[in-house]
């Protein structure tokens, strides 16, 4: 059973930087999409960024130019470098691994989440 474990969250001042890491125990499918989501209190979970197996990335507009997602397939890991942090970035951040096979969602894995708090 593959599990995802996030690390790197914490308390940071506005304008600061944090790097989140997510590692898989075991070997997830190499074709997987890796993504970071976040959920602030009272808000729905939202997609922050994702990266395909080929390295194509997408970002939610609110983090473009500030956050960078990357992956290391050899280490089964995905990272989120967050710069110029704002108080509204405060949330629990989750990593996700999944892929689609003939239109059907497969191997949908989530980490347990890591808290990022940005103080003003």
């Amino acid at each position: 059973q593959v599990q995802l474990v996030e690390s790197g969250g914490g308390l940071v001042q506005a304008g600061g930087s944090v790097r989140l890491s997510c590692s898989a125990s075991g070997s997830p499918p190499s074709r997987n999409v890796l993504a970071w989501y976040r959920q602030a209190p009272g808000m729905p979970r939202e997609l922050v960024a994702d990266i395909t197996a080929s390295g194509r990335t997408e970002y939610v507009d609110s983090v473009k130019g500030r956050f960078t997602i990357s992956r290391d397939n050899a280490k089964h890991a995905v990272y989120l470098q967050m710069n110029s942090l704002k108080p509204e970035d405060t949330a629990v951040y989750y990593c996700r691994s999944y892929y689609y096979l003939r239109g059907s969602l497969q191997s949908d894995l989530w980490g347990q989440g890591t808290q990022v708090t940005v103080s003003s």
Side-chain angles (χ1 to χ4, degrees):
Q1 180 75 15
V2 178
Q3 292 184 321
L4 302 179
V5 179
E6 301 101 335
S7 62
L11 176 64
V12 62
Q13 289 188 333
S17 297
V18 167
R19 186 179 189 238
L20 303 182
S21 300
C22 174
S23 297
S25 62
S27 299
S30 59
R31 72 182 79 176
N32 59 345
V33 176
L34 294 170
W36 287 97
Y37 287 71
R38 67 185 177 186
Q39 187 167 22
M43 300 295 288
R45 190 173 297 188
E46 68 166 348
L47 174 65
V48 175
D50 62 25
I51 182 168
T52 66
S54 62
R56 181 174 58 84
T57 60
E58 290 189 355
Y59 298 89
V60 67
D61 286 346
S62 60
V63 308
K64 286 180 179 177
R66 300 189 297 123
F67 291 10
T68 302
I69 188 171
S70 60
R71 63 189 289 165
D72 185 331
N73 291 330
K75 296 182 178 179
H76 305 304
V78 60
Y79 309 98
L80 186 68
Q81 178 66 44
M82 305 189 293
N83 299 328
S84 302
L85 283 161
K86 304 175 181 180
E88 51 263 43
D89 295 318
T90 295
V92 178
Y93 284 73
Y94 300 87
C95 66
R96 181 189 184 196
S97 170
Y98 67 96
Y99 69 96
Y100 282 91
L101 179 63
R102 292 189 290 272
S104 177
L105 180 63
Q106 304 288 327
S107 188
D108 191 12
L109 303 173
W110 290 83
Q112 82 287 354
T114 186
Q115 176 72 46
V116 174
T117 302
V118 184
S119 63
S120 58

